[in-house]
Amino acid sequence: MNFAPRVRRGHTTLADVDAAVDELHAQLDQADSTLVLIFASPDYPPEALAAALNRRFADTLVVGCTTAGEIGPGGYQHHSISAVSFAAPDFCAVAQRIDDLAGMSLSDALGVAMGARHQLGVRSPFPIERRTFALLLIDGLSAREEQVASRLSRALGDIPMFGGSAGDNMRFERTAVLIDGQFVSAAAALVLVSTPHPFEVFKSEHAAGYGERVVVTEADADRRIVTEINAEPAAAEYARLLGLAPEKLTPQAFAAHPLVLQVGGVPYVRSIQRVNPDLSLSFFCAIDEGLVLSGTRAHDVVSNLARTFDGLRRRLGPLQIVLGCDCILRTLAEHDSATRARLSALLAANHVVGFNTYGEQFNAMHVNQTFTGIAIGYGLPA
């Protein structure tokens, strides 16, 4: 059987909700559409946006989230909506809503995964094994990404998973996931997609551990707050490590100098969200007492990501679409407008659609300052 590519990308900067959704519909609408993914700036009123999407895409599964920035056909965007649609016969998709993030057990995760696999098995003409990937979109203020990603990944077995934590443009007030026709907080959406096209779930990071190591000596793991590093107030000790005064600790400083945890020789970035009045540090990722962290040395983010895309093309052939979840702190660190323009051009050239996140999921791991995604080629497997 021959398959014509059935992927369409869309983007709008129109401020009026109805006009913006009309523009997206004109770009994304195609026969036998099976899935529309929406990545929306929190500037759009969520209730009005959900209602407009329900009207225009009434017969299609629509899933998405709020963002800390969007990635569209022109690269990085703000105050906009980026989107992509997939259609049969190339793609079949189902989605499951997850509400009890705090109480989610492995048994609950198995129920979610089995329910999604059953639905997909009924609808998909392709075998689930080796032809299916998973996308997890989750409330970025829930502080439950580690548990949810770990348990869902175990429950999904050999189905690879990637995803991102919803954002709200660094306001840290409300992040939401679009599922079942509404934007909901304290929730997640698991999407399973089957396709005969070759694909690969991947991650790319440009920070490596080096230099002085520090120890977390006091922390509130449930709230992701570190109160002491090396038995000193956390923010003061982190500032000393950077050679800065504590009052100079800004989001740009956090982005440029994250801390890294080594697990089995593999670096996992632990990014700082903010300094609290008591000089404790709030993190975007799991943190606990006794962890040994090190400072980082950033490599060139553009060449690093370009090598990632080059490798994907070697393995998959030309790329028809890349769904990308890019940590907001990566873009904050790249304040140079020329670097940002190079990154945007690279994303556009590789057909990336996605969003800036408050954290990323890569199979069982929740990570920071990482670009995670899935690349889908044009070719059919042998």
Side-chain angles (χ1 to χ4, degrees):
M1 183 180 293
N2 294 320
F3 291 84
R6 300 299 305 277
V7 179
R8 292 189 180 180
R9 295 181 293 159
H11 179 254
T12 182
T13 58
L14 296 177
D16 179 79
V17 170
D18 289 321
V21 172
D22 286 345
E23 183 172 43
L24 287 175
H25 186 266
Q27 297 168 350
L28 301 174
D29 186 43
Q30 55 180 322
D32 302 317
S33 181
T34 57
L35 173 67
V36 170
L37 294 175
I38 297 288
F39 306 110
S41 165
D43 296 338
Y44 292 90
E47 291 78 14
L49 178 56
L53 290 167
N54 291 338
R55 285 194 299 270
R56 289 305 256 146
F57 296 95
D59 299 323
T60 303
L61 174 64
V62 179
V63 182
C65 66
T66 59
T67 74
E70 302 77 54
I71 304 173
Y76 289 126
Q77 308 288 334
H78 285 287
H79 314 296
S80 69
I81 304 172
S82 291
V84 58
S85 69
F86 300 88
D90 292 50
F91 299 93
C92 183
V94 299
Q96 291 269 29
R97 174 172 166 172
I98 305 168
D99 285 307
D100 186 12
L101 301 182
M104 187 181 193
S105 65
L106 179 57
S107 176
D108 296 329
L110 284 168
V112 170
M114 290 176 63
R117 287 183 68 130
H118 175 73
Q119 289 182 47
L120 192 64
V122 170
R123 301 177 187 181
S124 176
F126 319 117
I128 302 301
E129 292 74 19
R130 300 181 305 280
R131 296 288 181 265
T132 302
F133 64 86
L135 165 64
L136 176 64
L137 299 175
I138 186 168
D139 182 343
L141 298 179
S142 67
R144 291 293 182 269
E145 293 99 324
E146 286 87 4
Q147 297 92 328
V148 174
S150 174
R151 288 161 189 167
L152 281 176
S153 183
R154 289 178 63 188
L156 288 167
D158 58 0
I159 295 176
M161 183 177 74
F162 77 102
S165 303
D168 66 346
N169 285 343
M170 302 295 283
R171 299 169 188 162
F172 305 115
E173 295 171 353
R174 185 199 177 196
T175 60
V177 171
L178 173 64
I179 182 73
D180 292 342
Q182 57 184 318
F183 282 94
V184 289
S185 297
L190 177 69
V191 184
L192 295 189
V193 180
S194 64
T195 178
H197 294 294
F199 61 80
E200 183 178 329
V201 168
F202 68 92
K203 71 179 179 76
S204 174
E205 60 258 306
H206 67 293
Y210 81 109
E212 183 179 348
R213 295 184 176 183
V214 298
V215 180
V216 177
T217 48
E218 187 174 288
D220 182 339
D222 289 339
R223 297 168 59 207
R224 296 178 175 169
I225 292 176
V226 172
T227 50
E228 287 187 1
I229 295 176
N230 292 344
E232 299 290 340
E237 185 66 0
Y238 174 69
R240 181 199 64 77
L241 187 67
L242 302 187
L244 297 175
E247 59 269 22
K248 299 294 185 180
L249 296 178
T250 63
Q252 287 72 24
F254 304 148
H257 304 284
L259 296 170
V260 162
L261 171 69
Q262 296 281 342
V263 179
V266 178
Y268 292 96
V269 177
R270 290 294 181 260
S271 294
I272 297 167
Q273 183 185 105
R274 63 178 178 271
V275 177
N276 300 312
D278 63 354
L279 294 184
S280 64
L281 296 172
S282 291
F283 280 71
F284 279 108
C285 232
I287 202 77
D288 207 348
E289 292 180 8
L291 291 182
V292 178
L293 307 172
S294 61
T296 54
R297 177 179 60 250
H299 302 293
D300 179 66
V301 64
V302 182
S303 60
N304 179 272
L305 191 56
R307 285 193 299 271
T308 297
F309 287 136
D310 287 343
L312 290 166
R313 281 193 297 273
R314 283 196 303 271
R315 294 186 293 275
L316 301 175
L319 305 177
Q320 60 173 309
I321 189 70
V322 175
L323 298 178
C325 302
D326 192 14
C327 184
I328 182 59
L329 292 179
R330 284 165 54 95
T331 64
L332 287 179
E334 301 304 328
H335 57 275
D336 181 328
S337 60
T339 300
R340 187 176 178 87
R342 289 169 61 210
L343 272 172
S344 278
L346 180 64
L347 295 172
N350 287 279
H351 306 148
V352 179
V353 173
F355 70 110
N356 293 123
T357 75
Y358 281 178
E360 305 77 56
Q361 285 72 56
F362 180 73
N363 290 318
M365 295 294 295
H366 174 62
V367 293
N368 292 145
Q369 274 179 259
T370 302
F371 188 108
T372 64
I374 186 162
I376 302 174
Y378 281 100
L380 295 176

